[in-house]
Amino acid sequence: MSNIYPGQAPKAKKFDVVPLIGFVILLIVTIAMLLPFGFMVSTSLKTTKEMLLFPPTIIPEHFAWGNFKELFVNEEIKFGMQYKNSLIVAIATVIGTVFSSSFVAFGFARYRAKGSGLMFMFVLGTLMLPYPAIMIPQFLLFTKLGLHDSLLPLILPAFFGSAYMIFLMRQFFAGMPEEIYDAGRIDGCSEFRLYWNLTLPVSGPVLSTIAIFSFIWSWNDLLAPVLYLDSQENFTLPIGMAAMLSSKFRIAPWNLMMAASILSVLPIVTLFAIAQKRFVQGIVLTGIK
């Protein structure tokens, strides 16, 4: 029953300013984070002359779309070859990390043996080892194997598992009900088929998370390519873009650098846009048993 009596005006609802303040703060932060990207797009479309103007122009007077073409036709840059090398390394790293880490994580999650907990602690302990600590022994190993100045030293470590990825997948696998595996064993499944046919098909969220992490880390890696690659034909994007600022150019080609940066960001943005839902779901599920 309404408490408003005849002749009494309804009370006006109080305006809550908290959501509005929160929206304004988020809007300011979003604009601040997009400013560098906007500057990158603007610079990538400028000519060399306009790029050197001060104060800089926000919107280019003439859109130099040829900057993107220049990256692929300039024989000194070899951007297309570097892009291909980065894709090969990143895709191979994703495949190696997903299958090797998931296989090890399945063993830690589903089987209990004497010392298995201690072994898992040792695996997690490798997370505390910084890369410079294993950089020299790893470099000597690949050099002795004759793999220096090739893409293999950037790919092969992924096929031996990653401690962080093993931890994430073990958390997910440990939460799966044991009844599923009992039913599989009754139907005659081998232990490998329990992993391949029962576990992996329902692990889409965590596998998507692992794939995105692996792709980003491999795609952005600069230290390992600098360490192992000598020939320009084997350069990946990070080392190729760093070499673009060498003395080959009379003036640092910041417009070409910004165009290359945009093209280098596209695979990561596309991958995250496609797998965003599964990525967020995987982050949540790996922390919940």
Side-chain angles (χ1 to χ4, degrees):
M1 236 179 125
S2 176
N3 294 326
I4 301 175
Y5 298 99
Q8 181 182 3
K11 293 183 179 179
K13 291 185 177 179
K14 292 183 179 180
F15 179 73
D16 193 357
V17 297
V18 175
L20 179 61
I21 295 175
F23 175 78
V24 172
I25 293 175
L26 289 176
L27 183 62
I28 294 173
V29 173
T30 301
I31 293 175
M33 296 184 68
L34 289 178
L35 281 177
F37 183 77
F39 175 79
M40 183 172 66
V41 174
S42 174
T43 306
S44 69
L45 296 174
K46 293 179 180 179
T47 61
T48 304
K49 180 180 179 180
E50 188 176 2
M51 178 189 68
L52 299 175
L53 291 179
F54 186 83
T57 56
I58 299 177
I59 300 177
E61 295 181 4
H62 304 284
F63 292 96
W65 297 103
N67 291 339
F68 292 91
K69 181 180 178 181
E70 177 72 12
L71 293 173
F72 293 94
V73 300
N74 193 318
E75 289 297 328
E76 293 183 347
I77 299 177
K78 296 183 179 180
F79 184 80
M81 185 175 296
Q82 297 163 8
Y83 212 91
K84 182 190 71 174
N85 292 338
S86 286
L87 282 175
I88 292 173
V89 172
I91 293 174
T93 299
V94 168
I95 294 173
T97 302
V98 167
F99 285 105
S100 61
S101 299
S102 64
F103 194 75
V104 175
F106 177 78
F108 277 125
R110 306 313 310 178
Y111 304 114
R112 295 291 183 268
K114 187 175 181 180
S116 60
L118 183 62
M119 290 178 61
F120 185 64
M121 289 178 60
F122 281 138
V123 171
L124 293 184
T126 60
L127 288 173
M128 294 183 289
L129 290 175
Y131 182 69
I134 63 173
M135 183 171 61
I136 295 177
Q138 197 175 71
F139 175 80
L140 294 176
L141 173 63
F142 285 123
T143 302
K144 292 291 184 181
L145 293 175
L147 301 179
H148 185 74
D149 196 22
S150 71
L151 300 179
L152 287 177
L154 310 179
I155 297 173
L156 288 179
F159 286 84
F160 293 90
S162 167
Y164 181 66
M165 307 304 184
I166 291 171
F167 170 74
L168 287 182
M169 283 188 276
R170 179 188 177 276
Q171 296 299 104
F172 182 86
F173 295 160
M176 298 182 65
E178 187 65 32
E179 289 77 9
I180 296 178
Y181 298 97
D182 292 338
R185 293 187 181 96
I186 292 174
D187 290 338
C189 286
S190 63
E191 296 302 312
F192 180 78
R193 286 192 64 189
L194 292 177
Y195 157 76
W196 187 260
N197 295 106
L198 288 182
T199 306
L200 290 187
V202 298
S203 304
V206 68
L207 293 180
S208 299
T209 304
I210 300 307
I212 291 176
F213 280 155
S214 301
F215 188 92
I216 292 176
W217 291 344
S218 174
W219 185 263
N220 294 330
D221 186 22
L222 174 63
L223 181 57
V226 169
L227 187 64
Y228 291 107
L229 304 180
D230 296 331
S231 304
Q232 191 176 7
E233 291 74 16
N234 293 326
F235 282 178
T236 56
L237 273 182
I239 188 174
M241 291 173 65
M244 196 184 299
L245 296 177
S246 64
S247 57
K248 297 177 184 177
F249 297 92
R250 186 170 58 90
I251 301 174
W254 291 110
N255 50 352
L256 298 182
M257 279 290 296
M258 295 300 105
S261 299
I262 291 175
L263 293 178
S264 66
V265 167
L266 285 180
I268 297 177
V269 174
T270 304
L271 180 64
F272 185 78
I274 294 174
Q276 180 180 11
K277 183 177 179 180
R278 284 184 173 270
F279 173 75
V280 176
Q281 187 179 3
I283 291 294
V284 174
L285 292 179
T286 50
I288 300 176
K289 186 172 180 181

